[in-house]
Amino acid sequence: MSGLGHNRGPAMDEGRRWRRHCWQKARHALLPQLPIEVVRLRVARARAIGLDYRRYATVRATTGRDIVAFLFSTNALRLMHATAALPADRAARLAALQDVSPRLAAYAPLDPAAMAAQLAAQGIGFDAAIRAPTSIDTPAGTRAALLAALAPGKLPRDGLLVVGDTALEARWPATAGLAGYVPAAAYFAADPR
């Protein structure tokens, strides 16, 4: 019997093993079978943008699109005041980014343009800098602020991955229809290989 919320999975009555086998076979048939060359290219792409392959493949499968930009919050970069220097691990990871557009979300009282200029002086360039939405912003205001990060280059929303450090930042992708969220601790951890 199937009711509201039933996922039509295998039943637990007589003949359960056969139905489970059929169900698993049908699910497996839905999964894409990628040629090894495509997998190798995607592994190389994940390394180039600093993600582990599992996280990269999850975003690609979810959005159907490649990651074209990152939005880094000043919290994720450990920049809490205007004169703060970018920590060495974060600077090294950002300097190694290839073929992806880095964007910056600066929390008040930090000025986004000033922070982007300060980081550019340290050798880390950002293609756009916005004011980071806060908890007092409306969902529409949050969405508008986040979409402003996509304006330079007219990037697709589901191609932007947020790298953040707070629960508020973790909600940004759902609010603005972005590709997803990666905790800063995971992104700036050891080499993704």
Side-chain angles (χ1 to χ4, degrees):
M1 179 168 168
S2 63
L4 185 62
H6 193 282
N7 67 357
R8 306 234 191 285
M12 298 302 186
D13 55 356
E14 195 73 28
R16 172 177 63 95
R17 294 175 99 192
W18 173 249
R19 284 190 300 277
R20 182 177 175 170
H21 166 75
C22 294
W23 187 56
Q24 287 176 336
K25 191 167 180 156
R27 281 196 47 145
H28 182 70
L30 292 175
L31 299 175
Q33 301 291 326
L34 296 175
I36 192 70
E37 296 83 15
V38 172
V39 173
R40 285 184 183 138
L41 287 172
R42 289 185 180 181
V43 167
R45 173 74 175 145
R47 281 191 190 137
I49 64 173
L51 288 176
D52 62 281
Y53 179 71
R54 172 170 266 166
R55 192 175 306 267
Y56 174 77
T58 300
V59 171
R60 282 222 39 159
T62 303
T63 64
R65 178 183 301 279
D66 194 15
I67 298 166
V68 294
F70 283 112
L71 179 63
F72 295 96
S73 73
T74 49
N75 287 338
L77 298 177
R78 302 282 187 255
L79 298 172
M80 303 307 167
H81 52 84
T83 58
L86 190 62
D89 64 330
R90 268 104 168 117
R93 185 54 72 90
L94 290 174
L97 280 178
Q98 300 172 16
D99 301 324
V100 70
S101 176
R103 312 300 171 112
L104 178 68
Y107 282 98
L110 301 176
D111 177 48
M115 288 307 297
Q118 177 184 333
L119 291 169
Q122 297 177 34
I124 307 297
F126 286 91
D127 295 336
I130 63 164
R131 180 194 63 82
T134 63
S135 58
I136 61 171
D137 289 328
T138 64
T142 298
R143 187 177 313 103
L146 293 169
L147 294 180
L150 297 169
K154 298 180 182 177
L155 300 178
R157 338 177 152 197
D158 56 354
L160 178 72
L161 192 64
V162 175
V163 179
D165 211 23
T166 65
L168 174 66
E169 295 161 0
R171 293 192 302 261
W172 289 354
T175 302
L178 307 178
Y181 173 80
V182 177
Y187 184 80
F188 292 109
D191 193 12
R193 296 167 208 225

